[in-house]
Amino acid sequence: MTGKEQEFKEKRTNKLATMPMGRLIVSISLPLMFSLFVQSLYNMVDSIFVARLSEEALSATSLASPIQTLMVAVSVGTGVGINSLLSRTLGAGKKEDASAIASNGLVLAILSCMIFMLFGLTLVTPFLRCFTDDEQLLSLGVSYLSICTIFSLGIFVATTAERLLQATGNTLLSMIAQVTGAVANCILDPIMIFGLFGCPAMGIKGAAIATVLGQWLAAAIAMALNLKLNHDIRFDFRHFKLRGDIILDIYKVGAPSMLVTGLSSVQTMILNKILLGFSATAVAFFGVFHKMQNFVQMPLNGLAQGMIPIVGYAWGAKRGDRIRDAFKITYSVGLIFMLAVTVVIMAFPAAILGLFSAGEAMLSLGVPALRILSVSFVFIATCSIISYMFTGMGNGMVNLCCTAIRALLPIPLVFWLAKSAGLGMVWYAIPFADILACALAVYMLATTYKKKIKPMM
């Protein structure tokens, strides 16, 4: 190891161990919040431009959304496991294992990608036929989802490489990769969808191609930054072997996080099926809400995920005071942000839906529904920040349990309300489940603080 590399490591270690907590959270979380916010423009921009094609095209992307969410679940779950394990390993002073963790994590991401490539080649049409017999809707959905899955390597490599940068404190570098990919997607979307600057008009296929090109660009940049500037890890595939202990540790934390987002995918698939019993407009609206929810949650997730290396390092170093301070500051900021989002949605629901070329039918359905659904955001903030704090301590089960409540409980409630009370009432099922999940998260925090965190102060 060169003297320059040793100096870089000591500076990063001192940053996590001694920097005042407010400054530390800003330095780690702010770039992450911004990069995830920009990255969330992928699906939002796709939906805004696709909605200008037709409501059927927007409904098709909504039917494809669960599989895209599942890809995010697997890639982010693996990345979160790597992030948590790597930060805890460095916090405990076991720096020799960092490169092995990074190499194993990258190989796991590639293997995961191959599953979705196989799905894209063989199962897209049968999957979408489970939800609709409308041939136009089916054709649009197959065109969009096939491209997103067959060429999905970019999202898996990008997510893993970005998490390696985040785990070692290089969130600014992670932001560069994420923002570049997202901006490329935003620029390419109208060009490829509508055929600008000499490019052929490809419609919904153009939206999918723009998305995967943005993801591949982000992957290339993130890997280059790891190879050139991330001195805490080294990829050595000449002597590489899969290590069962590392894989187990990655998925001990990552699998619950993976299931967390996967459960959201299951919820979306089942609710789409129920909502199609009312109209395609209901499905299109729910797809808009789901993407809008992801859009406003991305900055919150960036803020909360910034706690993972901070809490992980403090947990490994037995610094309960640092864990407490990290949570207090993060939660205060997150709660204020989500309260502001709720106020905006309550005040301007029609204007928000207007971004997606909403017609009279969607406005009539969506304006009251958005106001009901926006109640969830404050409870989501509490649940998410507590869950990521536990993830940093190596416990992914709190996140899994809370998300299981949020994702699964609405399904029977929506089914019952759809049968007994009509479409206008089904939306209450989602905030009800979020309130219950929030109560569980607060109980787990209070118990763990008393038994494990406070004794370390």
Side-chain angles (χ1 to χ4, degrees):
M1 181 185 300
T2 66
K4 186 176 181 180
E5 291 173 352
Q6 181 65 37
E7 181 184 358
F8 181 90
K9 286 187 177 184
E10 288 174 355
K11 286 181 179 179
R12 190 202 59 79
T13 299
N14 290 339
K15 174 181 176 179
L16 291 173
T18 62
M19 181 179 285
M21 188 55 65
R23 285 173 50 202
L24 180 60
I25 289 173
V26 169
S27 68
I28 292 182
S29 294
L30 192 60
L32 192 53
M33 290 172 68
F34 179 72
S35 62
L36 287 178
F37 175 77
V38 175
Q39 189 182 35
S40 67
L41 292 174
Y42 275 108
N43 286 334
M44 281 286 287
V45 171
D46 271 0
S47 296
I48 289 171
F49 285 116
V50 165
R52 296 183 182 181
L53 295 173
S54 66
E55 190 173 285
E56 288 77 15
L58 182 60
S59 297
T61 61
S62 296
L63 292 178
S65 178
I67 299 302
Q68 291 179 289
T69 302
L70 201 57
M71 287 193 291
V72 172
V74 175
S75 61
V76 170
T78 303
V80 165
I82 295 167
N83 191 337
S84 178
L85 176 60
L86 193 55
S87 61
R88 283 182 285 120
T89 299
L90 291 170
K94 301 176 182 177
K95 299 178 182 180
E96 67 279 359
D97 289 333
S99 295
I101 293 169
S103 299
N104 275 261
L106 185 60
V107 170
L108 289 175
I110 294 171
L111 293 175
S112 299
C113 164
M114 293 173 66
I115 296 172
F116 288 95
M117 292 174 67
L118 183 62
F119 174 89
L121 291 168
T122 60
L123 296 175
V124 168
T125 300
F127 169 77
L128 291 176
R129 279 201 183 277
C130 293
F131 302 95
T132 182
D133 293 323
D134 185 315
E135 290 301 323
Q136 182 186 10
L137 198 57
L138 185 66
S139 175
L140 291 168
V142 169
S143 296
Y144 182 79
L145 188 55
S146 295
I147 294 169
C148 290
T149 50
I150 293 171
F151 300 99
S152 61
L153 182 63
I155 188 173
F156 286 91
V157 173
T159 302
T160 299
E162 288 158 6
R163 288 304 190 277
L164 292 175
L165 292 168
Q166 293 164 20
T168 51
N170 296 299
T171 51
L172 181 61
L173 299 182
S174 174
M175 182 187 74
I176 291 171
Q178 290 175 321
V179 169
T180 304
V183 169
N185 175 63
C186 293
I187 294 171
L188 292 173
D189 251 331
I191 294 173
M192 293 186 165
I193 292 172
F194 302 113
L196 306 178
F197 307 115
C199 178
M202 292 180 280
I204 199 169
K205 286 184 179 179
I209 293 171
T211 295
V212 297
L213 286 176
Q215 292 166 349
W216 278 73
L217 178 60
I221 293 172
M223 283 301 300
L225 291 173
N226 271 294
L227 291 170
K228 296 293 185 181
L229 300 176
N230 193 351
H231 302 297
D232 282 314
I233 60 172
R234 285 285 181 269
F235 296 105
D236 183 10
F237 292 107
R238 289 179 299 175
H239 305 99
F240 172 79
K241 67 174 183 177
L242 283 174
R243 282 180 48 180
D245 59 328
I246 290 177
I247 294 172
L248 182 63
D249 280 340
I250 288 173
Y251 285 123
K252 179 182 176 182
V253 173
S257 179
M258 198 179 298
L259 288 171
V260 161
T261 312
L263 287 172
S264 174
S265 177
V266 171
Q267 182 204 66
T268 303
M269 285 189 282
I270 296 174
L271 294 189
N272 277 344
K273 184 71 173 177
I274 296 172
L275 293 172
L276 271 173
F278 290 99
S279 67
T281 300
V283 174
F285 164 74
F286 187 63
V288 167
F289 167 73
H290 187 69
K291 290 172 183 178
M292 186 189 72
Q293 183 184 49
N294 288 337
F295 181 72
V296 299
Q297 273 190 248
M298 279 297 186
L300 176 74
N301 287 343
L303 175 69
Q305 287 177 25
M307 283 198 305
I308 293 177
I310 298 171
V311 170
Y313 191 96
W315 183 260
K318 308 297 183 186
R319 290 289 306 275
D321 58 319
R322 301 279 288 177
I323 297 173
R324 177 201 60 202
D325 293 345
F327 173 78
K328 286 173 63 177
I329 296 172
T330 301
Y331 182 63
S332 298
V333 175
L335 186 62
I336 292 170
F337 171 73
M338 289 305 250
L339 279 170
V341 168
T342 301
V343 170
V344 170
I345 294 173
M346 287 280 192
F348 308 106
I352 292 169
L353 290 174
L355 295 173
F356 300 90
S357 305
E360 289 186 11
M362 187 180 288
L363 288 172
S364 177
L365 179 157
V367 167
L370 266 185
R371 287 188 169 128
I372 294 167
L373 292 166
S374 66
V375 173
S376 289
F377 290 135
V378 170
F379 300 101
I380 289 171
T382 302
C383 215
S384 297
I385 292 171
I386 292 174
S387 295
Y388 277 115
M389 188 190 78
F390 276 99
T391 298
M393 295 186 294
N395 181 354
M397 291 305 297
V398 173
N399 200 4
L400 175 60
C401 292
C402 290
T403 305
I405 294 172
R406 291 183 57 212
L408 299 181
L409 182 58
I411 294 171
L413 291 176
V414 166
F415 183 80
W416 174 65
L417 290 169
K419 294 290 185 183
S420 63
L423 180 60
M425 295 296 293
V426 302
W427 314 114
Y428 285 98
I430 292 175
F432 178 75
D434 288 333
I435 291 169
L436 289 182
C438 179
L440 174 62
V442 170
Y443 170 77
M444 293 300 299
L445 173 63
T447 302
T448 302
Y449 179 80
K450 181 178 179 180
K451 291 182 178 180
K452 294 184 178 180
I453 299 174
K454 193 172 183 179
M456 290 193 296
M457 293 180 188

